[in-house]
Amino acid sequence: MGDVIVAGPAIRAIAARAEVTLLAGPQGAEAGSLLPGVDEVVVWACPWILDPAPPMTGERADELLHLVRARGFDEAVILTSFHQSPLPLALLLRLAGVPRISGASVDHAGALLDVRLRPGEDLPEDIPEPERAAAIAAAAGYPPVDDGRLRLRPLPDTTALTGPDPYLVLHPGAAVPARRWPVQRFAAAATLLAAAGHRIVVTGGPGERDDAAAVCAAAPARTLDLSGACTLAELAGVLARAGAVVVGNTGPAHLAAAVGTPIVSLFSPVVPAVRWAPYGVPVALFGDEHAACRGTRARVCPVPGHPCLSGVRAEDVAAAATRLAAVGRRAAAATSRDDGTRGESARGAVSSAGPRTEERAVAV
């Protein structure tokens, strides 16, 4: 989910001049449907991206070749993260007949890429992922068309799910264990925030209901459990109306950034914060960025005791959430005065990428 959402500014730039098909894995497809500028989402389970990885077989390759050939793309822009190679996909796209392919590769690409950025040379390595994707799109001939913030399409009204009163969101889950703040700390933060008068909405996927229940049990009178109860669009709507979101380095953090909500980020340094911290919104970043696990991309913490996050105090997180919620209220009030809209919904508003001046079919 997060990889797809941070590609949003690059996709809007391409969409200003082209018809865009997003090629995404099964975990990112739903997020792709929320992005402005995406005309179609095509799902393919990529064996060198997914974990656990599906087997790479001739049949799986043929599936992608058929999907691509059937659409007659003029070009492809491959928006890899800093630790991914575009070359396996570029090879398959060449075999499918795509005439122009752009990407970023530290390895010599030969005939696989027509436009190649070289990370560490003409593409800085330590930049946020949205800016990296935008740089690849710009090199392909699609310069930025707006301020480059993360955005989503208009979202459903989720008042019926949350109730009308203000709230903070706690999201205790994460896609991988190495990026999770201990659930006991989330529960302690819930207790502190409830005692300070905040109402709390706890979110999570269907597999995270136990963690959500543990957090809610810490302050049952002031918490609402929405784990497993929301579509992705509804989750985005819930995050958009929150005063602040407390979340680890996981997809919902980028979802919250895309709707403009301030974020308390419990960030494990298994990937660099300079690249993957929530982008374009007020952020309070917690976690030891110099811990021994830094840069390992580990899914399970390789250091006993999970010190990069276990040392983060619930008191500090609760204080940061309260502070950021106050910042958000002031910004929302200013927005409401400026344009006459209700501030919380204005934070989640989306502007279009503008009219298309040239129609081309581009796979992203």
Side-chain angles (χ1 to χ4, degrees), residues 46 63 115 172 181 188 201 203 213 223 227 229 231-232 282 284 286 296 306 347 354:
C46 182
E63 178 187 356
V115 177
W181 194 38
V201 173
T203 58
T223 53
S227 61
T231 65
L232 191 63
F286 288 91
T296 62
H306 200 24
R347 281 203 321 232

Side-chain angles (χ1 to χ4, degrees), residues 190-215:
T191 300
L192 292 167
L193 290 168
H198 295 285
R199 193 165 71 96
I200 300 159
V201 173
V202 182
T203 58
E208 297 168 337
R209 288 192 174 104
D210 288 346
D211 284 350
V215 176

Side-chain angles (χ1 to χ4, degrees), residues 32-59:
S33 68
L34 298 180
L35 293 182
V38 173
D39 295 286
E40 180 188 20
V41 178
V42 172
V43 182
W44 186 66
C46 182
W48 54 90
I49 298 294
L50 294 178
D51 188 6
M56 184 64 209
T57 63
E59 290 78 7

Side-chain angles (χ1 to χ4, degrees), residues 8 11-12 15 32-38 151-154 350-353:
I11 289 171
R12 296 197 305 272
S33 68
L34 298 180
L35 293 182
V38 173
R151 291 193 175 96
L152 301 179
R153 295 178 188 270
V350 176
S351 63
S352 70

Side-chain angles (χ1 to χ4, degrees), residues 142-243:
Y142 302 95
V145 292
D146 53 37
D147 61 9
R149 293 179 180 271
L150 306 186
R151 291 193 175 96
L152 301 179
R153 295 178 188 270
L155 299 170
D157 183 351
T158 55
T159 307
L161 287 170
T162 64
D165 296 332
Y167 58 87
L168 306 177
V169 165
L170 301 188
H171 188 94
V176 297
R179 301 181 189 182
R180 293 176 191 156
W181 194 38
V183 68
Q184 298 87 351
R185 300 292 174 85
F186 267 103
T191 300
L192 292 167
L193 290 168
H198 295 285
R199 193 165 71 96
I200 300 159
V201 173
V202 182
T203 58
E208 297 168 337
R209 288 192 174 104
D210 288 346
D211 284 350
V215 176
C216 289
R222 301 290 296 174
T223 53
L224 172 66
D225 186 352
L226 290 183
S227 61
C230 300
T231 65
L232 191 63
E234 288 170 338
L235 175 60
V238 169
L239 297 175
R241 295 186 61 249

Side-chain angles (χ1 to χ4, degrees), residues 82-175:
F82 74 96
H83 58 81
Q84 298 164 342
S85 171
L87 300 187
L89 181 59
L91 173 61
L92 291 175
L93 294 175
R94 277 287 188 243
L95 293 176
V98 178
R100 185 173 189 265
I101 305 174
S102 302
S105 176
V106 296
D107 297 315
H108 176 62
L112 295 183
L113 295 178
D114 299 285
V115 177
R116 175 192 168 207
L117 285 178
R118 298 162 180 80
E121 298 179 37
D122 52 7
L123 177 64
E125 292 187 318
D126 284 331
I127 58 174
E129 286 292 312
E131 295 179 15
R132 175 190 171 89
I136 297 171
Y142 302 95
V145 292
D146 53 37
D147 61 9
R149 293 179 180 271
L150 306 186
R151 291 193 175 96
L152 301 179
R153 295 178 188 270
L155 299 170
D157 183 351
T158 55
T159 307
L161 287 170
T162 64
D165 296 332
Y167 58 87
L168 306 177
V169 165
L170 301 188
H171 188 94

